[in-house]
Amino acid sequence: MIPPKFDYHAPGTVDEAIGLLQKNAGDAKVLAGGQSLLPLMKLRLAEPKMLIDISRIAKLSYIQEDPELLRVGAATKINDLNDSQVIRSRYPMLADAGAHIADPLVRNMGTVGGNVCHGDPGNDLPACMLAIGARYVVRGPKGDRTIAAKEFYRDTFVTALDPAEILTEVQIPKAQNGDGGAYMKMERKVGDFAIAAVAVHLRLDSKGTVTSAGIALTNVGPTVLMAGKAASSLVGHKPTDADFLAAGKLAAEAAQPASDMRGPAEFKKGIVQTLTRRALHLAWGRAGGKS
Amino acid sequence: MASTAIPRLTAGAPMGGPTRMVHITVNDVPFAIEVQDRTLLVHFLRDTLGMTGTHIGCDTTHCGACTVLLDDRPVKSCTVLAVQADGRKVRTVEGLESGGKLHPVQEGFTAEHGLQCGFCTPGMMMTSVALLAKNPNPTEDEIRHAISGNLCRCTGYMNIVKAIQHAAKASGGAK
Amino acid sequence: MTTTIHGGIGQSLARKEDARFIRGKGNYVDDIQLPGMLFLDFTRSPYAHAKITAIHPEKALKIPGVLAVITGKDLDAAKLAWMPTLMSDTQMVLPIDTVKFQGQEVVGIVADSRYSAADGAAAVEIDYEPLPVVTDPVKALLPDAPLVRPDKTKKSNHIWHWETGDKAGTDAALAKSDVVVHQDLYLPRLNVSSMETCGCVAQFDTMGRLTVWMTTQAPHAIRTVFALVAGLPEQNIRIISPDLGGGFGGKVPVYPGYVVAVVAALKTGHAVKWVEDRMDNLMSSSFARDYHISADIGATKDGKLTGLRVKTVADHGYADAAANPSKFPAGLFHIITGSYPFDKAFVEVDGVYTNKPPGGIAYRCSFRVTEAAFTIERLVDGIAHKLGMDPAEFRLKNFIPPESFPYKSALGWTYDSGNYAGALNLAMKMIDYPALRKEQVEKRKRGELMGIGISSFTEIVGAGPSAQFDILGIKMFEGCEIRIHPTGKVMARFGTKSQGQGHETTYSQILAEELGIPAENIAIEEGDTDTAPYGLGTYASRSTPTAGAAAVIAARKIREKAQKIAAHLLEVSPDDLEWKDYKFQVKGVPEKSKTMADVAFAAYTNPAPGTEAGLEAVDYYDPPNMTYPFGSYVCVVDIDKGTGQVNIRRFVAVDDCGTIINPMIVEGQIHGGLNMGLAPALYEQITYDENGNMRGNSFLDYLVPTAVESPHWETGKTTTPSPHHPIGAKGVGESPTVGAPAAIVNAVVDALSPLGVTNIDIPIYPWKVWQILHDKGQN
Ligand SMILES: Cc1cc2nc3c(=O)[nH]c(=O)nc-3n(C[C@H](O)[C@H](O)[C@H](O)COP(=O)(O)OP(=O)(O)OC[C@H]3O[C@@H](n4cnc5c(N)ncnc54)[C@H](O)[C@@H]3O)c2cc1C
Ligand code: FES
Ligand code: FES
């Protein structure tokens, strides 16, 4: 399988890249790690006339925690996310997800930015970003703007990104005491996209009451989905297994899966229910909750 | 059979479409070669450089037969453009043996019968080399996950796991 | 004290072939680069059944580097549009006017690089008129089904009917049985998915002599087929099978790509390379299985098996292109009575055409043996369950006892040797079966799902005796030619072809043992029809049973001559010598001896009077019988009720393949075979929608297991030599693929049996288990 012909550019700055995108509107695509784009091009399902490789732009790859935010540069490799001590110890949901994206080799090329920008409902990081309340910093011809992750996903492969915009950074609220998250994914085999996967994020007060919750679902709809009712059902409670089970049921109701080779829709809803309950238990434990 | 006149031909390296010069160091040897923008790294290695130890087993980035080290990290060279490797270091199976001495991973694969048809083997070994560099003493579970991007149809993976453990021990890991 | 020789039989000699593979110096077809070589690619059909109304190659021919296109009409002019299959059917090379399956090759594009060829393939425009499609073989047999092969005289999709056994007797035995279990089983289509796909490089030299480097498991048979089909003089064809990246049966057939590459090489005067993509391979290379089985098994109430009746619909796609060299259209399917002494059995199979790729092939087993073993081992479990008997106890009660070998089965096979209880008892001991059953009782009380599955299969390999096997009339013998050079070093050539089985090592070991020459001094060559003796190739675990035997006999022929030379050197009569401790010794005077190396030198420098110079021999071995390896597997699974996920906790495999030549290689073969037994049980299948669209035509959806899905296999062995093989070896590469699926499915059904479950279709995807649990209110 051979990609069709295209023109390749490797600009040194974000602005240069935006300039190229603007000049070649409709024909040009950003290339980050290429682990989503190149497979599509090899199958000739995507035929961009120009690729703009952003991997040579300095300072787009970093993981940095400051007083307000965790900042992840768009070009950060998924395996760098997985290897980061900060991520593993303080944002374990992202490490859970990162370890289940594709396979270890793909993760050495694939980037956080590519994973969240691709717009495939099967990508694993978007659900984490929704559950944890991330914002995306994007730069275009008119400068920077930030978009809440939950506003970003419009339809399958359709995002809020304008054609001449580039994602530069993902911003995540800094982890506090009483925060706990988890990502659980069921896959047909390692390296596969999810049958269904669930990201949950809980914040507990000092008494163990849930003060905020986020639940989002991977690959059970046209885009990543929020399970808002499931999340809000937990707020104000010191939850028990019965609450997690109930939240699981609500999450399953929020899912809109289609029957396909990964299984019938009803099954996928069942998996959402099971994984939500289990992920909530794990997140609850990580947040310091005691039952 | 419809045909155009058959011109004089050069080697089978990719031709046609925009091209550019790339500088890629393969197994410590620097190369400066004109490639098509769309040339995949695996074809650059196999067809342009004639280094056929790196194999192709699929179209969809699933099998890992094409695994090489790009700046010391294992990647699937069928899903990397040669131009993406410009200015970088590539290590392939041909670069494992040094000064007539096999790499411990190569020793391990032979000693433990970690290969049968040998088709997955170069990719499998490159992944193993990177794993041991990062984690000199991996558990069986860690090994199985580390090689989960490399398919093998012959061995059932048992002896590949043993081969990597063997190499770990030989390199001073796995006490 | 017994003397051993370096690399003799029974030693875990490190593999000779590894030296090149671990250095990236293997030589696979796609590694071959010839000056001026062109590339062939194909435009394929998006439809499963359609009339081709026009082909527009113009845009493709304008692409820089694209040199030529080849269509079915071009081939038809040379009478090459169709080719015969090994099953006396016909198959298209390229279609003249109708396509019969999705992914079928329609137009060949020849270009100066693989990139231009791919661009050309994408640019060819073809107009189609879709025709009605049938993909379900049962529906294909209905009177109003679309006709797949109107070119045939028989106006039906029914290809053949084949039956064997005692129909009336079996019906009567079942009618009289205290219990009968009926079970429908479907073994889905599979693709062998060797990591290397198929391909070739074809080249004519200036004298018009054709050389084809080809991914083939049977180079000689291919040469003869090419001679017969293309009318080329056979001495002008050279087939070279270089290193193969796995075969598993998928590299036995002749594929259209090979033929078109040869035509392209002829027309252009250049070497032409064709190498499939993985998707091409999944869509159009030969499949395995696709058997729809409906079976009844009977027993008395005290648990004695009485009869077995099996009816099967075999989906062959649009042509019966089975790579099956037996005289039986369903291959060796009638090994289906397995390890049990049925008095009465009856099997019938109907072959059917559908709009799917033609086949089928083995998938690491002898022809249709997995289908058979899976059926009998599932049914035996079913009837044990119905009788309320433990499945192990039931098997032990019914096995053909060791003292009845050679044993003639109800369906006509003569089993050479076996000790089935020995293997099962060892497997049960290794896994501690009683403890597992106890644990299961505890778990069931807590509502947890744990299952234990057994499979005690009997294989049939080593095709085969010429009475039952041939390819185009050529007997299924196997050849070995040995030359001992003056310095005592050996070159041996074979008609087989290793695809990873390690022939270079194993054959050396057999010869080391027989010739008394260390394995390191023996070179083995296979795969080049110009140099190797004729042979039918490697598949169906036949190499050790046939070529291994040929090696032994050829070596013994050499020993016979060598004895005369040794006698000459020692100035005694040949009768005064014995072959002992790997040398010729004067009987009773062991210090007076000559080694094979001494003899070899003399054979060229000082041959005995009246003997010719040189030390060579050839043998063509026609086996007197098949060999019947066997084994017992025990599998333990745990099921996650929340997800339906099946986790294989342990899997113990006890195999008996007779005499073992290299234990390390045998164990490796077993591991690999087990993985290819796991795959269809839990992961792999190829399906089609009603329009004939293939679902899952890449490794995204064709789920080859990774190291994470694969269990930590535990192996054990018993040794029951084959009485008719010169060294007692039986062949092993495929037993586990045959035996493992039933063990896994039996374990899952056992886990679910408290819920009243008696069967679950393979592959057992989590959603199927989840659905059952959901329907029973369990999650
Ligand atoms: C075999 C296989 C299995 C996979 N399995 C999974 C899986 O289980 N889960 C999962 O989540 N993913 C999976 N993937 C997809 C892949 O891992 C990620 O989607 C990939 O890492 C995306 O990152 P990338 O840098 O490679 O993106 P690219 O392929 O380079 O780009 C993807 C898309 O995002 C755009 N883009 C990239 N970066 C930016 C940016 N900074 N600004 C604007 N647009 C941008 C590109 O234009 C393109 O449209 C799999 C891929 C393969 C090949
Ligand atoms: S060739 Fe299969 S992953 Fe690269
Ligand atoms: S050794 Fe054959 S694929 Fe791994």
Side-chain angles (χ1 to χ4, degrees), chain C residues 633-647:
Chain C
Y633 297 168
V634 187
C635 170
V636 189
V637 301
D638 299 294
I639 293 177
D640 180 338
K641 281 178 135 178
T643 60
Q645 189 91 52
V646 171
N647 173 43

PDB file of all heavy atoms in Angstrom, chain C residues 633-647:
ATOM      1  N   TYR C 633      -5.162 -32.240  25.501  1.00  0.00           N
ATOM      2  CA  TYR C 633      -4.988 -30.872  25.978  1.00  0.00           C
ATOM      3  C   TYR C 633      -6.024 -30.585  27.062  1.00  0.00           C
ATOM      4  O   TYR C 633      -7.178 -31.005  26.955  1.00  0.00           O
ATOM      5  CB  TYR C 633      -5.191 -29.877  24.830  1.00  0.00           C
ATOM      6  CG  TYR C 633      -4.175 -30.009  23.704  1.00  0.00           C
ATOM      7  CD1 TYR C 633      -4.371 -29.351  22.499  1.00  0.00           C
ATOM      8  CD2 TYR C 633      -3.023 -30.773  23.853  1.00  0.00           C
ATOM      9  CE1 TYR C 633      -3.446 -29.454  21.467  1.00  0.00           C
ATOM     10  CE2 TYR C 633      -2.093 -30.878  22.822  1.00  0.00           C
ATOM     11  CZ  TYR C 633      -2.307 -30.221  21.626  1.00  0.00           C
ATOM     12  OH  TYR C 633      -1.406 -30.322  20.613  1.00  0.00           O
ATOM     13  N   VAL C 634      -5.592 -29.859  28.065  1.00  0.00           N
ATOM     14  CA  VAL C 634      -6.536 -29.416  29.087  1.00  0.00           C
ATOM     15  C   VAL C 634      -6.399 -27.905  29.246  1.00  0.00           C
ATOM     16  O   VAL C 634      -5.290 -27.383  29.376  1.00  0.00           O
ATOM     17  CB  VAL C 634      -6.294 -30.103  30.448  1.00  0.00           C
ATOM     18  CG1 VAL C 634      -7.414 -29.736  31.423  1.00  0.00           C
ATOM     19  CG2 VAL C 634      -6.213 -31.611  30.294  1.00  0.00           C
ATOM     20  N   CYS C 635      -7.541 -27.242  29.215  1.00  0.00           N
ATOM     21  CA  CYS C 635      -7.565 -25.777  29.241  1.00  0.00           C
ATOM     22  C   CYS C 635      -8.453 -25.311  30.391  1.00  0.00           C
ATOM     23  O   CYS C 635      -9.520 -25.877  30.622  1.00  0.00           O
ATOM     24  CB  CYS C 635      -8.120 -25.290  27.902  1.00  0.00           C
ATOM     25  SG  CYS C 635      -8.500 -23.548  27.830  1.00  0.00           S
ATOM     26  N   VAL C 636      -8.012 -24.303  31.103  1.00  0.00           N
ATOM     27  CA  VAL C 636      -8.814 -23.722  32.184  1.00  0.00           C
ATOM     28  C   VAL C 636      -9.121 -22.274  31.845  1.00  0.00           C
ATOM     29  O   VAL C 636      -8.199 -21.509  31.545  1.00  0.00           O
ATOM     30  CB  VAL C 636      -8.058 -23.725  33.530  1.00  0.00           C
ATOM     31  CG1 VAL C 636      -8.989 -23.324  34.667  1.00  0.00           C
ATOM     32  CG2 VAL C 636      -7.450 -25.079  33.790  1.00  0.00           C
ATOM     33  N   VAL C 637     -10.388 -21.914  31.891  1.00  0.00           N
ATOM     34  CA  VAL C 637     -10.756 -20.525  31.609  1.00  0.00           C
ATOM     35  C   VAL C 637     -11.528 -19.923  32.774  1.00  0.00           C
ATOM     36  O   VAL C 637     -12.205 -20.626  33.526  1.00  0.00           O
ATOM     37  CB  VAL C 637     -11.617 -20.392  30.330  1.00  0.00           C
ATOM     38  CG1 VAL C 637     -10.897 -20.932  29.116  1.00  0.00           C
ATOM     39  CG2 VAL C 637     -12.978 -21.050  30.495  1.00  0.00           C
ATOM     40  N   ASP C 638     -11.391 -18.621  32.894  1.00  0.00           N
ATOM     41  CA  ASP C 638     -12.230 -17.839  33.796  1.00  0.00           C
ATOM     42  C   ASP C 638     -12.967 -16.815  32.946  1.00  0.00           C
ATOM     43  O   ASP C 638     -12.389 -16.262  32.014  1.00  0.00           O
ATOM     44  CB  ASP C 638     -11.364 -17.113  34.830  1.00  0.00           C
ATOM     45  CG  ASP C 638     -10.579 -18.094  35.689  1.00  0.00           C
ATOM     46  OD1 ASP C 638     -11.221 -18.840  36.444  1.00  0.00           O
ATOM     47  OD2 ASP C 638      -9.336 -18.129  35.571  1.00  0.00           O
ATOM     48  N   ILE C 639     -14.219 -16.592  33.278  1.00  0.00           N
ATOM     49  CA  ILE C 639     -15.010 -15.658  32.485  1.00  0.00           C
ATOM     50  C   ILE C 639     -15.406 -14.461  33.347  1.00  0.00           C
ATOM     51  O   ILE C 639     -15.873 -14.621  34.477  1.00  0.00           O
ATOM     52  CB  ILE C 639     -16.255 -16.362  31.912  1.00  0.00           C
ATOM     53  CG1 ILE C 639     -15.810 -17.414  30.886  1.00  0.00           C
ATOM     54  CG2 ILE C 639     -17.216 -15.364  31.280  1.00  0.00           C
ATOM     55  CD1 ILE C 639     -16.933 -18.230  30.303  1.00  0.00           C
ATOM     56  N   ASP C 640     -15.172 -13.282  32.778  1.00  0.00           N
ATOM     57  CA  ASP C 640     -15.557 -12.045  33.451  1.00  0.00           C
ATOM     58  C   ASP C 640     -17.037 -11.800  33.148  1.00  0.00           C
ATOM     59  O   ASP C 640     -17.406 -11.532  32.002  1.00  0.00           O
ATOM     60  CB  ASP C 640     -14.680 -10.901  32.905  1.00  0.00           C
ATOM     61  CG  ASP C 640     -15.002  -9.557  33.537  1.00  0.00           C
ATOM     62  OD1 ASP C 640     -16.129  -9.380  34.063  1.00  0.00           O
ATOM     63  OD2 ASP C 640     -14.124  -8.665  33.483  1.00  0.00           O
ATOM     64  N   LYS C 641     -17.844 -11.882  34.172  1.00  0.00           N
ATOM     65  CA  LYS C 641     -19.284 -11.756  33.948  1.00  0.00           C
ATOM     66  C   LYS C 641     -19.694 -10.367  33.466  1.00  0.00           C
ATOM     67  O   LYS C 641     -20.677 -10.210  32.762  1.00  0.00           O
ATOM     68  CB  LYS C 641     -20.036 -12.053  35.248  1.00  0.00           C
ATOM     69  CG  LYS C 641     -20.186 -13.529  35.558  1.00  0.00           C
ATOM     70  CD  LYS C 641     -20.901 -13.680  36.877  1.00  0.00           C
ATOM     71  CE  LYS C 641     -21.983 -14.725  36.812  1.00  0.00           C
ATOM     72  NZ  LYS C 641     -22.651 -14.895  38.109  1.00  0.00           N
ATOM     73  N   GLY C 642     -18.932  -9.378  33.851  1.00  0.00           N
ATOM     74  CA  GLY C 642     -19.302  -8.010  33.477  1.00  0.00           C
ATOM     75  C   GLY C 642     -19.029  -7.691  32.020  1.00  0.00           C
ATOM     76  O   GLY C 642     -19.648  -6.793  31.444  1.00  0.00           O
ATOM     77  N   THR C 643     -18.093  -8.414  31.410  1.00  0.00           N
ATOM     78  CA  THR C 643     -17.699  -8.083  30.037  1.00  0.00           C
ATOM     79  C   THR C 643     -17.828  -9.258  29.070  1.00  0.00           C
ATOM     80  O   THR C 643     -17.776  -9.066  27.861  1.00  0.00           O
ATOM     81  CB  THR C 643     -16.216  -7.644  29.984  1.00  0.00           C
ATOM     82  OG1 THR C 643     -15.410  -8.731  30.464  1.00  0.00           O
ATOM     83  CG2 THR C 643     -15.974  -6.414  30.839  1.00  0.00           C
ATOM     84  N   GLY C 644     -17.955 -10.458  29.591  1.00  0.00           N
ATOM     85  CA  GLY C 644     -17.981 -11.629  28.718  1.00  0.00           C
ATOM     86  C   GLY C 644     -16.600 -12.070  28.263  1.00  0.00           C
ATOM     87  O   GLY C 644     -16.456 -12.994  27.461  1.00  0.00           O
ATOM     88  N   GLN C 645     -15.578 -11.438  28.777  1.00  0.00           N
ATOM     89  CA  GLN C 645     -14.206 -11.757  28.368  1.00  0.00           C
ATOM     90  C   GLN C 645     -13.795 -13.131  28.906  1.00  0.00           C
ATOM     91  O   GLN C 645     -13.975 -13.411  30.087  1.00  0.00           O
ATOM     92  CB  GLN C 645     -13.268 -10.694  28.941  1.00  0.00           C
ATOM     93  CG  GLN C 645     -11.855 -10.762  28.431  1.00  0.00           C
ATOM     94  CD  GLN C 645     -11.656  -9.910  27.193  1.00  0.00           C
ATOM     95  OE1 GLN C 645     -11.988  -8.730  27.180  1.00  0.00           O
ATOM     96  NE2 GLN C 645     -11.129 -10.521  26.140  1.00  0.00           N
ATOM     97  N   VAL C 646     -13.241 -13.948  28.000  1.00  0.00           N
ATOM     98  CA  VAL C 646     -12.734 -15.260  28.395  1.00  0.00           C
ATOM     99  C   VAL C 646     -11.233 -15.130  28.655  1.00  0.00           C
ATOM    100  O   VAL C 646     -10.495 -14.644  27.794  1.00  0.00           O
ATOM    101  CB  VAL C 646     -12.969 -16.288  27.266  1.00  0.00           C
ATOM    102  CG1 VAL C 646     -12.259 -17.599  27.573  1.00  0.00           C
ATOM    103  CG2 VAL C 646     -14.461 -16.507  27.045  1.00  0.00           C
ATOM    104  N   ASN C 647     -10.796 -15.545  29.823  1.00  0.00           N
ATOM    105  CA  ASN C 647      -9.368 -15.508  30.115  1.00  0.00           C
ATOM    106  C   ASN C 647      -8.852 -16.941  30.236  1.00  0.00           C
ATOM    107  O   ASN C 647      -9.339 -17.707  31.063  1.00  0.00           O
ATOM    108  CB  ASN C 647      -9.128 -14.734  31.417  1.00  0.00           C
ATOM    109  CG  ASN C 647      -7.675 -14.812  31.855  1.00  0.00           C
ATOM    110  OD1 ASN C 647      -6.771 -14.677  31.030  1.00  0.00           O
ATOM    111  ND2 ASN C 647      -7.444 -15.051  33.130  1.00  0.00           N
TER     112      ASN C 647
END
